[in-house]
Each structure stands twice: as structure tokens, then as C-alpha cells.
Amino acid sequence: MSIYINNENKENILKKITQIDVSAKTPTDETERQYYFMAKARKHVQALSEELGRTPTCCVTTFGCQMNARDSEKLVGILEVVGYEIVDTEKADFVIFNTCTVRDNANQRVYGRLGELKSLKKKNPAMKIALCGCMMQEPSVVEKIKTSYRFVDLIFGTHNIFKFAELLNATFEQKRVVIDIWKDTDQIVEDLPIERKYPFKSGTNIMFGCNNFCSYCIVPYVRGRERSRKPEDIVAEIKDLVADGVVEIMLLGQNVNSYGKNLETPMSFAELLQEIEKIEGLERIRFMTSHPKDLSDELIEVMAKSKKICKHLHLPLQSGSSRILKIMNRRYTKEQYLELAAKIRKAIPDIALTTDIIVGFPGETYEDVLETIDVIKQVKYDNAFTFIYSKRTGTPAAAMENQVPEYVVKKHFDMVLNTVQEISREQVKRYEGEIQDVLVEELNEHEEGFVTGRLSNNTLVHFKGEPGLIGKIVKVKLNKCQGFYYMGEQV
Ligand code: 5AD
Ligand code: SF4
């Protein structure tokens, strides 16, 4: 279980930390060990604070997926406990980039932003810069940073993020750059502090890693093998979150449908969902991501019956061509995917299906792209994230000889994107005029006096409302669909 920081328990956590004897031997229990280093780091931050004559600030910038967003909350939790003030600007005393490497443009963005940090550090030499996340699991990246970005103070990876307190402490005690990257781990360290971004909704990891090895994907190499958290830890954590005001939970894993297979007492994802459904006060359950090959009838049944599981399923297709799917190592055919989608729609008619599509996989032809377009038209997605294939060193696809020329990929990409937009515009609007529950998430960015929330099926809705509605579920009439969102009014 994670310890969520709120006003009440922040004091308890700080009390626990101030009682730790930092001159004693380092504890062997991993959780205790990390609290010990939080106590040590806190002393360094206090000294820095006296030197600066103000509280040192820190900024965590997240790239990539919701797993990373969740990891960043863990980093922020520790930074807060050791005494940093969390700020939104990178003009801070400590800046961490939590990186992503799923596609090359994610890497390029990190390098670009690192260049900007270099000039900030020139102005503030006491500034510390840390890099972590998936990109750091690639040895070539770490080499490049060591040689070309020598102003970086700390580099660590995805498997030892639980050691952040210890590594942060090392940056105060060691003059040289601190580098700690693990190849893999089977450890899941519980009970560390964590800061939540939203008071009313939260993600929670139910598993880590991925065993699928889709031939284009770097994730299994940088996130390691599949490890599931124990159901009792997950349920206890969600209960705790609900007691702290959370109404919506997002269960996170690279392939949630294979949850529980490696537990001492195996348990299916559908069974886990049923346990979570029982938690009183929890209103909405979401999850990400489902691999089509592992999606069971049991799960469809549980979703159809559930009052809390949201009417949304993200079901990555990647390609509609059975030939390409085979080379991608996805382990389903176009027909099997279509059959599955039809089965889900039949059991849960008002569900929104969304997907991921890759265009330009090695050897992909115009005919293959037409197959993908055919699936989009048949399944009628509410939304589809369309990506241009990116060659990831070390994956089987990167070594394939028939890489598709850029201009061809671009043409195919536009064809797919146009189809997605056309179909999803029609799909999203099917509830126009209806009244539905909306969880209000934030003030509208563009229009004063308006708030923004989400339907159960994940579609955004904007309507006139007070800030006090944030975190509440209210009835909204969906007056007008504007492409990908609704304008509505509270009823
Ligand atoms: N190139 C392009 N897209 C990729 N994805 C994963 N690896 C690659 C790659 N090498 C996409 C997949 C996945 C999503 C998270 O990112 O569509 O579902
Ligand atoms: Fe990558 Fe495939 Fe695992 Fe998803 S299921 S993380 S695409 S290897």
C-alpha cells in the first residue's frame, strides 16, 4: 500500500522521519531503508534551505503514459517529505524529467528540454537535475547523457524508482553524477509516501512490466517482466484513497488482462474488478490497457453487470491486417479482433471503444492499410490514437529490412487519421440530447464560469458551473456535440 500525503498524515510521516536516528546503521527492510534516507535527505534540504534563505523548490516533469504520471506522484511524495516546495516551473532548485521512450520523438523532446535546463543551471549553479524513467533503461541513452549532458546530477531507471530517497540523498553526499540503473527487478516496495495530483481521482498500479514482446515495442525491455501486486494491497490502497475523497480509480498495467497470473494464489483481472466493485464510496472504475488476446468472456460479463466500471474500453488494434499482426507478434487476427469487438458491443451496447494504431510498420503495404481502415469502420471507435511507426533499437522490428519510406508512411497515416476522425465524430455524438452523469474534473481552460468533466465513456463535457462542483458527479444534459466533446448544461 502507498501512504497518501494529506494534511493529517503528512504530520505523522514527518514525525516518523524526525524520530529516525540517521547515525544508526542503514536498515535492511527496504521500506524502512527508504524512510531512513528520507530522514537523511531532509537534513541536507534543511541545510540548503538555510544557505538559500528560502525553501528550495523542485519540479517534476512527466513525459509519456499514465504509468509515468503515477511514478511521478511517487517522486513528488518523497520530494515533499524531504522538504522541497513543489512548483510548476523548471526554474527550480531540483528538476526531474521522468522520461518516455516508446517512440523516438519522445526521446527527442527530452534532449531538447535538457538543453533548456542547461542554461537555467548556468544561472543557478546549485540547481540539481535528475533523469529517470523508461529512456534511462537504454544503455545508449545513458552513455549519451554521460558524455554530452554532463550537467546532469542523477540518473536512475524504472526498476529502482522506490530507491529515489536513497539516490536523492546520494546527490548531496557525492560530488560526481549518481547513476543507478537496474536491468530488472522482482521487488514491489509498498508503504512509501505518494502525492496525488487530483484529490478526487487516482491511478493505481495493479501490475508492472509486460511479457508480450510485440515486435515493435521497447516496453518489455525497459519495464521488465510482468509482476502483479497482491489483491489485498490493491484493495487496501483503494479503500484508503476513497476515505481520502477519491471517487474514480484507474487501474494501471501494460496488459491488465493478464493480471494475477504470477501471484502465489492466482486471480483473474475480472475477479480483482469484482473485489474493487465492493468498495463502498467508490463510484467509477477505469483500467488501462487491455490486450485483445487476453480479454476474457468473464471480463465482458463482469463489465456488463457492473454499476461502477466505466463504459469505456481501450483495446489497442495496432493493425487491421492479419499478415502484419502476425509479424507484430500480436497473437490475434483481424477476424478475431472484429469478433471480440462485436461480442463486447453486444454485451455492453453503450460502451465506447478506443484504440491505438501504428502506421508504417516494416513491410506494411497500401492493402494492409486498407485492412486497418476497414476495421476502424467496422468497430466504430470513439477515438483512436494513431502513431507513425518508430524504429526502436533492440526490438525485432528494428532489424527488419523492409522499412517503409517516410513519404509512403505519411500518405497512409493521413488516410488512417481521416477515417478515424470521420468515424469518431459520428460515434461521439450519439448521445446528443441525453442526460448523463459527469464527473467534474477542472475549471474550463478557455471559458470563464465553465467547468469540464467526463462521461462514464470518457467523453469530455463542458458546461456552466461553479468551481465547487470539481470532484462531484452531476447530471448534465448533452446539448451539442462539437466533434470530440459536448457542450452541456447541468440539470
Ligand atoms: N512505434 C510507434 N508506436 C508504438 N507504440 C508502441 N511502440 C511503438 C513504436 N515502436 C504505440 C502502440 C502502443 C502505444 C502505447 O504506443 O500503439 O499501444
Ligand atoms: Fe508493448 Fe505489446 Fe507490451 Fe503493449 S503489450 S507494452 S505494445 S509489448
Side-chain angles (χ1 to χ4, degrees), residues 215-233:
S215 64
Y216 50 83
C217 188
I218 201 164
V219 169
Y221 305 89
V222 296
R223 286 272 173 183
R225 294 295 69 71
E226 234 168 67
R227 285 149 285 144
S228 296
R229 280 179 75 196
K230 291 195 198 113
E232 55 271 27
D233 287 336

Side-chain angles (χ1 to χ4, degrees), residues 102 209-220 254-255 289 291 318 330:
V102 75
C210 179
N211 285 354
N212 287 310
F213 292 94
C214 301
S215 64
Y216 50 83
C217 188
I218 201 164
V219 169
Q254 301 296 348
N255 178 12
T289 290
H291 195 305
Q318 313 301 4
R330 290 291 290 176

Side-chain angles (χ1 to χ4, degrees), residues 204-400:
T204 187
N205 301 100
I206 62 166
M207 59 197 302
F208 303 92
C210 179
N211 285 354
N212 287 310
F213 292 94
C214 301
S215 64
Y216 50 83
C217 188
I218 201 164
V219 169
Y221 305 89
V222 296
R223 286 272 173 183
R225 294 295 69 71
E226 234 168 67
R227 285 149 285 144
S228 296
R229 280 179 75 196
K230 291 195 198 113
E232 55 271 27
D233 287 336
I234 299 168
V235 169
E237 177 166 319
I238 300 174
K239 280 187 178 159
D240 221 43
L241 285 163
V242 170
D244 199 31
V246 163
V247 291
E248 178 179 301
I249 194 83
M250 166 75 94
L251 309 174
L252 297 169
Q254 301 296 348
N255 178 12
V256 292
N257 293 329
S258 68
Y259 171 79
K261 287 186 182 152
N262 55 359
L263 286 170
E264 259 168 50
T265 327
M267 177 187 222
S268 71
F269 179 54
E271 284 165 342
L272 176 71
L273 279 172
Q274 283 167 291
E275 289 306 308
I276 296 173
E277 173 106 16
K278 289 182 200 150
I279 299 173
E280 232 165 280
L282 182 65
E283 306 271 355
R284 284 183 169 186
I285 306 169
R286 298 187 185 276
F287 52 85
M288 276 271 219
T289 290
S290 284
H291 195 305
K293 81 174 163 61
D294 297 314
L295 200 144
S296 65
D297 289 350
E298 187 196 8
L299 175 64
I300 300 176
E301 204 179 301
V302 167
M303 286 183 78
K305 278 200 205 126
S306 167
K307 299 231 164 3
K308 296 183 180 177
I309 302 173
C310 288
K311 304 289 181 202
H312 173 214
L313 191 64
H314 186 67
L315 198 60
L317 168 69
Q318 313 301 4
S319 167
S321 154
S322 296
R323 188 182 75 83
I324 294 289
L325 285 168
K326 191 158 186 359
I327 313 171
M328 283 178 162
N329 192 29
R330 290 291 290 176
R331 285 173 277 176
Y332 54 81
T333 61
K334 174 187 182 185
E335 290 67 33
Q336 283 166 331
Y337 185 98
L338 285 172
E339 211 174 286
L340 177 64
K343 194 156 64 175
I344 296 165
R345 283 233 188 269
K346 185 155 177 246
I348 318 161
D350 50 350
I351 200 160
L353 293 174
T354 59
T355 201
D356 291 342
I357 293 167
I358 297 176
V359 180
F361 182 83
E364 188 181 57
T365 63
Y366 179 71
E367 283 69 35
D368 293 318
V369 177
L370 291 181
E371 298 273 15
T372 300
I373 288 180
D374 183 43
V375 176
I376 300 169
K377 288 184 173 161
Q378 289 199 48
V379 175
K380 297 194 172 65
Y381 295 107
D382 270 61
N383 197 4
F385 300 97
T386 310
F387 306 110
I388 287 182
Y389 167 73
S390 170
K391 195 169 165 175
R392 308 316 286 133
T393 311
T395 62
M400 292 177 189

